mmCIF file of all heavy atoms in Angstrom:
data_model
loop_
_atom_site.group_PDB
_atom_site.id
_atom_site.type_symbol
_atom_site.label_atom_id
_atom_site.label_comp_id
_atom_site.label_asym_id
_atom_site.label_seq_id
_atom_site.Cartn_x
_atom_site.Cartn_y
_atom_site.Cartn_z
ATOM 1 N N CYS A 556 29.457 -77.196 220.699
ATOM 2 C CA CYS A 556 28.470 -76.357 220.014
ATOM 3 C C CYS A 556 29.020 -75.933 218.655
ATOM 4 O O CYS A 556 30.198 -75.576 218.551
ATOM 5 C CB CYS A 556 28.208 -75.107 220.869
ATOM 6 S SG CYS A 556 26.891 -74.062 220.261
ATOM 7 N N ASN A 557 28.168 -75.977 217.636
ATOM 8 C CA ASN A 557 28.594 -75.455 216.336
ATOM 9 C C ASN A 557 28.370 -73.956 216.278
ATOM 10 O O ASN A 557 27.672 -73.389 217.106
ATOM 11 C CB ASN A 557 27.836 -76.160 215.205
ATOM 12 C CG ASN A 557 28.482 -77.484 214.865
ATOM 13 O OD1 ASN A 557 29.721 -77.557 214.732
ATOM 14 N ND2 ASN A 557 27.689 -78.525 214.742
ATOM 15 N N ARG A 558 28.962 -73.315 215.299
ATOM 16 C CA ARG A 558 28.709 -71.885 215.075
ATOM 17 C C ARG A 558 27.401 -71.778 214.298
ATOM 18 O O ARG A 558 27.398 -71.588 213.089
ATOM 19 C CB ARG A 558 29.875 -71.275 214.275
ATOM 20 C CG ARG A 558 31.074 -70.898 215.137
ATOM 21 C CD ARG A 558 32.206 -70.389 214.280
ATOM 22 N NE ARG A 558 31.827 -69.250 213.465
ATOM 23 C CZ ARG A 558 32.235 -67.995 213.668
ATOM 24 N NH1 ARG A 558 33.005 -67.718 214.698
ATOM 25 N NH2 ARG A 558 31.894 -67.028 212.861
ATOM 26 N N ASN A 559 26.306 -71.946 215.006
ATOM 27 C CA ASN A 559 24.996 -71.919 214.351
ATOM 28 C C ASN A 559 24.634 -70.488 213.980
ATOM 29 O O ASN A 559 25.289 -69.545 214.395
ATOM 30 C CB ASN A 559 23.946 -72.480 215.312
ATOM 31 C CG ASN A 559 24.312 -73.875 215.786
ATOM 32 O OD1 ASN A 559 24.373 -74.809 215.001
ATOM 33 N ND2 ASN A 559 24.573 -74.015 217.074
ATOM 34 N N SER A 560 23.545 -70.362 213.226
ATOM 35 C CA SER A 560 23.081 -69.005 212.918
ATOM 36 C C SER A 560 21.943 -68.658 213.863
ATOM 37 O O SER A 560 21.396 -69.521 214.552
ATOM 38 C CB SER A 560 22.600 -68.935 211.476
ATOM 39 O OG SER A 560 21.431 -69.711 211.353
ATOM 40 N N GLY A 561 21.594 -67.353 213.882
ATOM 41 C CA GLY A 561 20.439 -66.918 214.659
ATOM 42 C C GLY A 561 19.200 -67.628 214.131
ATOM 43 O O GLY A 561 19.116 -67.975 212.951
ATOM 44 N N ILE A 562 18.228 -67.856 214.975
ATOM 45 C CA ILE A 562 16.963 -68.566 214.717
ATOM 46 C C ILE A 562 17.174 -70.072 214.653
ATOM 47 O O ILE A 562 16.445 -70.834 215.268
ATOM 48 C CB ILE A 562 16.203 -68.060 213.457
ATOM 49 C CG1 ILE A 562 15.943 -66.541 213.598
ATOM 50 C CG2 ILE A 562 14.888 -68.811 213.261
ATOM 51 C CD1 ILE A 562 15.131 -66.129 214.806
ATOM 52 N N ILE A 563 18.219 -70.538 213.920
ATOM 53 C CA ILE A 563 18.506 -71.984 213.933
ATOM 54 C C ILE A 563 18.768 -72.418 215.377
ATOM 55 O O ILE A 563 18.341 -73.479 215.819
ATOM 56 C CB ILE A 563 19.756 -72.310 213.061
ATOM 57 C CG1 ILE A 563 19.435 -72.179 211.580
ATOM 58 C CG2 ILE A 563 20.328 -73.676 213.400
ATOM 59 C CD1 ILE A 563 18.930 -73.420 210.904
ATOM 60 N N GLU A 564 19.514 -71.550 216.112
ATOM 61 C CA GLU A 564 19.835 -71.922 217.496
ATOM 62 C C GLU A 564 18.567 -71.969 218.348
ATOM 63 O O GLU A 564 18.418 -72.801 219.233
ATOM 64 C CB GLU A 564 20.938 -71.007 218.053
ATOM 65 C CG GLU A 564 20.533 -69.860 218.954
ATOM 66 C CD GLU A 564 20.105 -68.613 218.180
ATOM 67 O OE1 GLU A 564 19.269 -68.732 217.265
ATOM 68 O OE2 GLU A 564 20.582 -67.508 218.508
ATOM 69 N N LEU A 565 17.596 -71.086 218.048
ATOM 70 C CA LEU A 565 16.310 -71.117 218.766
ATOM 71 C C LEU A 565 15.573 -72.426 218.444
ATOM 72 O O LEU A 565 15.009 -73.073 219.334
ATOM 73 C CB LEU A 565 15.449 -69.907 218.370
ATOM 74 C CG LEU A 565 13.999 -69.935 218.854
ATOM 75 C CD1 LEU A 565 13.933 -69.914 220.386
ATOM 76 C CD2 LEU A 565 13.208 -68.758 218.286
ATOM 77 N N PHE A 566 15.634 -72.819 217.178
ATOM 78 C CA PHE A 566 14.962 -74.064 216.785
ATOM 79 C C PHE A 566 15.569 -75.265 217.523
ATOM 80 O O PHE A 566 14.861 -76.192 217.913
ATOM 81 C CB PHE A 566 15.057 -74.273 215.266
ATOM 82 C CG PHE A 566 14.137 -73.371 214.477
ATOM 83 C CD1 PHE A 566 13.373 -72.405 215.109
ATOM 84 C CD2 PHE A 566 14.021 -73.498 213.100
ATOM 85 C CE1 PHE A 566 12.519 -71.569 214.396
ATOM 86 C CE2 PHE A 566 13.160 -72.682 212.375
ATOM 87 C CZ PHE A 566 12.411 -71.710 213.020
ATOM 88 N N GLY A 567 16.903 -75.246 217.698
ATOM 89 C CA GLY A 567 17.559 -76.328 218.443
ATOM 90 C C GLY A 567 17.058 -76.390 219.877
ATOM 91 O O GLY A 567 16.865 -77.464 220.449
ATOM 92 N N SER A 568 16.834 -75.200 220.474
ATOM 93 C CA SER A 568 16.329 -75.152 221.851
ATOM 94 C C SER A 568 14.872 -75.598 221.916
ATOM 95 O O SER A 568 14.447 -76.202 222.899
ATOM 96 C CB SER A 568 16.447 -73.730 222.411
ATOM 97 O OG SER A 568 17.767 -73.460 222.789
ATOM 98 N N ILE A 569 14.107 -75.275 220.885
ATOM 99 C CA ILE A 569 12.687 -75.677 220.868
ATOM 100 C C ILE A 569 12.581 -77.206 220.716
ATOM 101 O O ILE A 569 11.864 -77.872 221.464
ATOM 102 C CB ILE A 569 11.929 -74.963 219.722
ATOM 103 C CG1 ILE A 569 11.787 -73.468 220.051
ATOM 104 C CG2 ILE A 569 10.559 -75.593 219.488
ATOM 105 C CD1 ILE A 569 11.173 -72.628 218.941
ATOM 106 N N ALA A 570 13.326 -77.741 219.764
ATOM 107 C CA ALA A 570 13.242 -79.192 219.510
ATOM 108 C C ALA A 570 14.030 -79.992 220.549
ATOM 109 O O ALA A 570 13.790 -81.188 220.739
ATOM 110 C CB ALA A 570 13.766 -79.502 218.109
ATOM 111 N N GLY A 571 15.005 -79.320 221.203
ATOM 112 C CA GLY A 571 15.891 -80.052 222.125
ATOM 113 C C GLY A 571 16.839 -80.966 221.373
ATOM 114 O O GLY A 571 17.390 -81.917 221.934
ATOM 115 N N LYS A 572 17.047 -80.656 220.080
ATOM 116 C CA LYS A 572 17.908 -81.505 219.224
ATOM 117 C C LYS A 572 18.762 -80.617 218.331
ATOM 118 O O LYS A 572 18.306 -79.544 217.911
ATOM 119 C CB LYS A 572 17.051 -82.348 218.264
ATOM 120 C CG LYS A 572 15.936 -83.127 218.902
ATOM 121 C CD LYS A 572 16.343 -84.558 219.049
ATOM 122 C CE LYS A 572 15.272 -85.360 219.741
ATOM 123 N NZ LYS A 572 15.749 -86.648 220.182
#
Side-chain angles (χ1 to χ4, degrees):
C556 186
N557 277 314
R558 278 176 57 108
N559 304 296
S560 68
I562 304 301
I563 287 270
E564 100 276 50
L565 170 63
F566 285 4
S568 282
I569 290 175
K572 309 259 177 194

